[in-house]
């Protein structure tokens, strides 16, 4: 889960600034249909979402039932959640959270969102323009939840003002397994008018299920391969516990053998100094692929990193620490990890 580089931050801050996982850049394509067919399905899904009207309600993962007189049209969402809704044909007006990198390109958490067509209310932790949000006259705010009742990337110092302006929906990104997280986003999208029977959606789900079967087979064929979930900062290396995030909890269910760190008081990861980065033995290292974390190329100058058996063997795979919970984005994540385990040699 996400970590922070500032000790005075709240537990939510510790989860945000970085994390300990990474899995290849998510691919948007799914299934074997041609591009025109996929585009048509996406347009139909979007039209369906726009056509849905009448009283609307949805029970979120806080146990709160949100009710409005009509289906929300002006939706504002955490970037990764907005990207998931986009894959179902539901578009948002504005986003908050990592959306664009320093060079202006889409952040990994933006998925297939056109970042030039959405209002960006905040791009980093603690940044959320209440004024811009209010000007949109929002109908609904949607975000993730890593801790009970804590809205992801909604700043504590302005959350009361923000939550007064529109109803909110929070969906777990932890405390459950990936299929459940996927289902909850699909449920929300359907309530907003998405067509879950559209070919684009059904093909993506079929690909996801095939990828899950492949990962399970890979773990059976290579039962002794150990995987470490890592994330790097300049001063510390973070090793995450697999059961605390929806994605890695599911990988573990499918048979992936993970390093189990001695987690800190927050319960998500263990911080290691670079001198002690070799504390755990692993054959494969999954590295946090977010823009807030140092990537493997930036770690070559650290002797202890270079000396790790998995690094020497070139058995490093990216981890999507905050997955976009649509079938289209999660299928490639499973495929990437399956390939890493299929080809891994026992080196630890």
């Amino acid at each position: 889960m996400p970590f922070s580089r500032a000790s005075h931050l709240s537990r939510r801050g510790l989860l945000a600034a970085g994390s300990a996982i990474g899995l290849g850049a998510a691919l948007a394509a799914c299934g074997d249909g041609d591009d025109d067919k996929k585009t048509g399905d996406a347009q139909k899904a979007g039209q369906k979402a726009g056509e849905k009207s009448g009283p609307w309600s949805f029970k979120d993962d806080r146990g709160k039932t949100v009710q409005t007189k009509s289906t929300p049209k002006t939706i504002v969402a955490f970037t990764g959640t907005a990207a998931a809704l986009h894959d179902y044909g539901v578009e948002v007006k504005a986003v908050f959270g990592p959306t664009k990198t320093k060079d202006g390109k889409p952040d990994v958490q933006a998925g297939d969102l056109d970042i030039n067509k959405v209002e960006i209310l905040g791009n980093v932790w603690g940044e959320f323009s209440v004024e811009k949000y209010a000007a949109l006259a929002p109908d609904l705010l949607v975000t993730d939840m890593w801790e009970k009742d804590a809205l992801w990337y909604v700043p504590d110092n302005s959350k009361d003002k923000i939550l007064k302006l529109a109803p909110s929906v929070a969906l777990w990104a932890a405390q459950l397994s990936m299929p459940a997280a996927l289902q909850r986003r699909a449920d929300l999208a359907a309530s907003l008018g998405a067509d879950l029977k559209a070919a684009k959606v059904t093909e993506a789900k079929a690909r996801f299920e095939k990828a899950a079967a492949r990962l399970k087979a890979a773990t059976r064929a290579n039962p002794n391969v150990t995987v470490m979930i890592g994330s790097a900062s300049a001063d510390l290396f973070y090793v995450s516990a697999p059961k605390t995030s929806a994605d890695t909890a599911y990988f573990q269910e499918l048979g992936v053998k993970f390093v189990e760190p001695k987690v800190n008081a927050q319960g998500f990861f263990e911080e290691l100094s670079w001198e002690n980065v070799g504390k755990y033995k692993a054959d494969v290292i999954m590295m946090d692929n977010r823009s807030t974390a140092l990537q493997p190329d930036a770690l070559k100058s650290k002797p202890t990193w270079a000396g790790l058996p998995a690094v020497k063997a070139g058995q490093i795979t990216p981890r999507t620490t905050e997955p976009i919970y649509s079938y289209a984005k999660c299928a490639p994540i499973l495929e990437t990890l399956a390939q890493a385990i299929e080809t891994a040699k026992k080196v630890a």
Side-chain angles (χ1 to χ4, degrees):
M1 197 118 345
F3 66 75
S4 165
R5 301 181 180 106
S7 61
H8 66 278
L9 291 182
S10 65
R11 183 177 177 188
R12 288 173 62 227
L14 286 169
L15 298 178
S19 173
I21 318 175
L23 241 151
L27 305 176
C30 52
D32 297 322
D34 58 50
D35 290 341
D36 289 339
K37 182 173 181 293
K38 291 174 182 175
T39 300
D41 289 333
Q43 290 174 341
K44 289 178 182 178
Q47 291 168 359
K48 185 85 172 181
E51 293 168 1
K52 189 173 177 64
S53 61
W56 178 85
S57 67
F58 185 83
K59 186 174 181 179
D60 78 354
D61 291 347
R62 294 171 295 181
K64 294 184 178 181
T65 299
V66 180
Q67 296 178 316
T68 58
K69 293 181 179 179
S70 61
T71 303
K73 298 294 190 296
T74 304
I75 303 168
V76 176
F78 168 67
T79 303
T81 311
L85 292 175
H86 170 83
D87 285 349
Y88 291 109
V90 177
E91 304 299 343
V92 306
K93 296 292 184 182
V95 296
F96 55 94
T99 306
K100 63 170 59 177
T101 58
K102 292 180 180 179
D103 58 5
K105 295 180 180 180
D107 189 273
V108 293
Q109 295 186 62
D112 292 334
L113 287 176
D114 186 338
I115 63 172
N116 296 312
K117 291 185 178 180
V118 292
E119 181 88 36
I120 300 175
L121 303 180
N123 196 56
V124 297
W125 181 256
E127 182 180 271
F128 190 115
S129 176
V130 180
E131 291 76 16
K132 289 182 179 180
Y133 182 59
L136 291 167
D139 296 323
L140 182 68
L141 181 144
V142 185
T143 190
D144 289 348
M145 184 168 61
W146 291 87
E147 296 179 288
K148 182 65 174 174
D149 298 329
L151 303 187
W152 195 231
Y153 270 82
V154 176
D156 288 334
N157 61 3
S158 57
K159 68 178 180 180
D160 291 341
K161 293 180 180 179
I162 293 168
L163 296 180
K164 286 179 181 179
L165 294 170
S168 62
V169 163
L171 299 176
W172 277 117
Q175 317 281 339
L176 78 177
S177 185
M178 180 179 270
L182 283 162
Q183 186 61 56
R184 291 298 286 147
R185 274 72 178 174
D187 290 343
L188 176 60
S191 77
L192 294 169
D195 180 7
L196 299 188
K197 294 182 179 180
K200 180 181 179 181
V201 178
T202 58
E203 289 170 5
K205 187 173 183 180
R207 179 181 173 183
F208 174 83
E209 292 170 348
K210 183 178 179 180
R214 178 183 172 184
L215 178 55
K216 188 173 184 178
T219 63
R220 288 179 174 177
N222 298 280
N224 295 319
V225 170
T226 301
V227 179
M228 181 163 63
I229 308 165
S231 186
S233 71
D235 300 319
L236 295 171
F237 185 77
Y238 301 80
V239 181
S240 284
K243 293 182 179 179
T244 55
S245 300
D247 58 336
T248 49
Y250 184 49
F251 304 156
Q252 195 167 49
E253 290 173 10
L254 293 175
V256 177
K257 182 180 178 182
F258 283 110
V259 165
E260 296 283 357
K262 295 181 179 179
V263 296
N264 61 17
Q266 282 71 44
F268 293 103
F269 49 78
E270 179 180 0
E271 303 102 325
L272 298 176
S273 66
W274 282 105
E275 290 79 8
N276 295 312
V277 74
K279 178 178 180 179
Y280 298 106
K281 305 302 179 184
D283 305 296
V284 175
I285 303 176
M286 297 173 65
M287 287 295 288
D288 185 349
N289 75 338
R290 295 177 303 169
S291 57
T292 51
L294 293 180
Q295 299 306 304
D297 284 347
L299 302 175
K300 293 179 179 180
S301 63
K302 294 184 180 295
T304 51
W305 166 260
L308 294 175
V311 176
K312 287 182 177 180
Q315 294 179 173
I316 308 298
T317 189
R319 182 220 174 185
T320 304
T321 302
E322 294 182 55
I324 294 168
Y325 284 113
S326 71
Y327 293 105
K329 296 299 184 294
C330 287
I333 291 174
L334 293 171
E335 291 165 352
T336 298
L337 182 56
Q339 183 177 15
I341 292 176
E342 289 165 352
T343 59
K345 296 179 180 179
K346 186 68 181 174
V347 295

